[in-house]
Amino acid sequence: MVTGGIVAVSCRGVSKRFAIVEAGKLWRVALGLTGNMESFEALHDVSFDVPKGQFVGVLGRNGAGKSTLLRVIGGVYPADSGSVRINGALSGLYELGIVGNSQATGREYADRLLTVHGFAKRERQRMILDIHEFSELGARFEDPVQTYSAGMAARLYFSTATAGQYSVYLLDEILSVGDQHFQAKCWRRLQDRLAHGASGILVTHDWSAVLKLCQTAHVLDRGRIVFSGASERAARIYLYGDSAVGEMRRDLAAFIKTPPGLISARQGDDLVVPAEIEIFQSCDVCFGFVIERMQPGFGWETVIVTKRPVSVGSRPGRRRVEARVPSLPIEPLTYQISLQLSSPDPGASGQFLLLDSVGWLSGNGIALEVLGESGTQLFHATWSVAAA
């Protein structure tokens, strides 16, 4: 739900530096005497908005500045320059160290965090019951947090941070922790918060989480935003770099005709996925085929894939290619089909140049609806190729 142009979070020109502290010089930091100390820039001139009613993703590798950005937005670190504006009550999933020590029990941690957020005692009592139930910690809720496994701690942190109806949520990698059952619960709760108009920022390595939750995303590299836009394109840049997105070699070969955006097939029947391609310049053109499924709270699962691209021709001209899956044995669900054209890279043995792509990561994927009864066996697809 998006409310007519209202901005939930505004981040403008934010930069943040940290002093590099050598042994024996901690006293200078304690006294604020860091002016002449060596430092590194964790964030540089970062600007973006989060529309009300949306979650926005921030993707980046280790050291990109994702967690620093989230903590600056949440007020844990002050920005050296720039400004942050939050419209509404804020909750962040990075706050264990802020509200108490590791000796606190799960119940004490929840109570202290809710106190920091300003909830009255009676309201806290009701919310702690919800946290205890949602986290599924049972009797361990009364044990010190330092005795929890990573999965148990994730249950506690997420349950506490989302127990109330906040306007803005800041999430730092938390959705990638915990078992599949609890992750699915997390997704359902976040969808409920979104349905009630909540907004937020998800910073993560998990690009599939960004695709599930966010319409738009930003790619952060060495403290700078290098891409802002649709989450599918952001995920592709994060995975493969800018060249894989904007510089596919369609001058060598390209798809001319592909199936519509949704096709249906019955379990046990042959699945045929036809396409037409055109080779523009003499090169060995190969065809690849993938069927994938998004599992809520888990990510993308590859169901059927070719071991390596199959050669379909090398001379210029149009050709019809066809992926055939005999006696389709996958269970009746909705999947995504991706098609790729590639060519062996003359400059790198065993590597392929991406010529053209049809798929969810390119924003033009083909949904596959499988009808029938549940199936179990997976297998390799077989192929046939014919000239048009």
Side-chain angles (χ1 to χ4, degrees):
M1 181 176 72
V2 179
T3 304
I6 298 176
V7 174
V9 179
S10 178
C11 187
R12 286 285 172 270
V14 168
S15 296
K16 178 65 180 177
R17 303 187 72 90
F18 290 99
I20 299 176
V21 182
E22 299 177 4
K25 294 185 178 180
L26 285 174
W27 63 272
R28 295 185 62 184
V29 176
L31 295 176
L33 303 176
T34 59
N36 296 323
M37 296 180 66
E38 186 181 357
S39 64
F40 74 95
E41 191 172 43
L43 297 173
H44 177 79
D45 195 24
V46 173
S47 297
F48 65 92
D49 290 333
V50 178
K52 181 173 173 56
Q54 290 187 22
F55 268 76
V56 168
V58 178
L59 287 164
R61 306 192 185 281
N62 287 335
K66 304 186 306 300
S67 295
T68 299
L69 173 62
L70 206 67
R71 283 156 174 74
V72 170
I73 293 172
V76 180
Y77 301 150
D80 293 330
S81 61
S83 64
V84 174
R85 182 171 59 83
I86 307 293
N87 182 14
L90 174 71
S91 179
L93 266 69
Y94 49 72
E95 298 174 346
L96 177 61
I98 298 174
V99 297
N101 59 54
S102 58
Q103 296 292 333
T105 67
R107 181 182 298 275
E108 290 169 342
Y109 166 80
D111 187 60
R112 290 177 185 178
L113 182 58
L114 296 176
T115 300
V116 168
H117 284 177
F119 292 101
K121 183 175 181 180
R122 179 174 297 182
E123 201 170 10
R124 295 202 305 273
Q125 290 173 342
R126 174 185 58 79
M127 295 170 72
I128 288 173
L129 290 176
D130 174 77
I131 293 166
H132 187 197
E133 179 181 359
F134 189 90
S135 66
E136 301 178 1
L137 288 172
R140 295 299 306 276
F141 194 56
E142 311 301 338
D143 292 341
V145 174
Q146 70 174 4
T147 67
Y148 288 6
S149 66
M152 293 169 62
R155 291 170 183 261
L156 174 65
Y157 303 161
F158 185 91
S159 303
T160 305
T162 60
Q165 290 282 355
Y166 299 91
S167 299
V168 177
Y169 294 88
L170 304 180
L171 311 181
D172 187 357
E173 295 287 1
I174 197 72
L175 295 176
S176 63
V177 183
D179 58 32
Q180 186 172 345
H181 161 72
F182 189 72
Q183 286 182 9
K185 287 181 63 175
C186 292
W187 287 115
R188 289 195 295 271
R189 173 162 280 193
L190 287 177
Q191 291 296 336
D192 174 74
R193 298 300 185 256
L194 277 170
H196 287 85
S199 314
I201 300 172
L202 171 63
V203 303
T204 183
H205 297 90
D206 185 1
W207 52 270
S208 65
V210 169
L211 291 175
K212 284 185 283 185
L213 190 63
C214 310
Q215 296 179 36
T216 60
H218 310 277
V219 180
L220 198 65
D221 182 36
R222 299 179 185 180
R224 300 168 184 260
I225 289 181
V226 296
F227 174 81
S228 299
S231 58
E232 294 88 353
R233 187 174 173 86
R236 189 174 183 88
I237 289 177
Y238 170 68
L239 289 170
Y240 303 119
D242 223 351
S243 61
V245 178
E247 298 181 11
M248 290 188 286
R249 294 299 306 275
R250 294 191 179 98
D251 60 312
L252 299 178
F255 286 105
I256 303 301
K257 185 177 180 180
T258 57
L262 173 64
I263 60 177
S264 296
R266 182 163 291 277
Q267 183 188 48
D269 293 347
D270 290 357
L271 170 66
V272 179
V273 183
E276 290 185 20
I277 69 170
E278 183 163 359
I279 301 174
F280 302 110
Q281 301 181 39
S282 294
C283 65
D284 185 14
V285 176
C286 302
F287 183 36
F289 172 75
V290 181
I291 297 179
E292 300 170 291
R293 176 167 71 98
M294 172 63 79
Q295 295 191 59
F298 179 75
W300 286 91
E301 174 191 20
T302 299
V303 180
I304 297 173
V305 63
T306 49
K307 284 187 175 180
R308 59 185 289 113
V310 178
S311 179
V312 295
S314 58
R315 293 183 178 180
R318 289 201 177 195
R319 286 169 175 77
R320 184 179 187 272
V321 296
E322 181 181 88
R324 181 180 295 272
V325 181
S327 304
L328 188 64
I330 56 180
E331 59 182 320
L333 293 166
T334 299
Y335 303 83
Q336 287 286 328
I337 294 177
S338 297
L339 311 175
Q340 297 91 30
L341 293 179
S342 60
S343 183
D345 187 345
S349 177
Q351 301 298 311
F352 287 80
L353 299 172
L354 181 62
L355 308 182
D356 199 3
S357 176
V358 173
W360 61 266
L361 206 49
S362 305
N364 57 355
I366 303 166
L368 169 64
E369 182 183 32
V370 177
L371 309 173
E373 299 179 358
S374 62
T376 56
Q377 185 179 354
L378 302 183
F379 61 97
H380 299 294
T382 58
W383 298 84
S384 60
V385 179

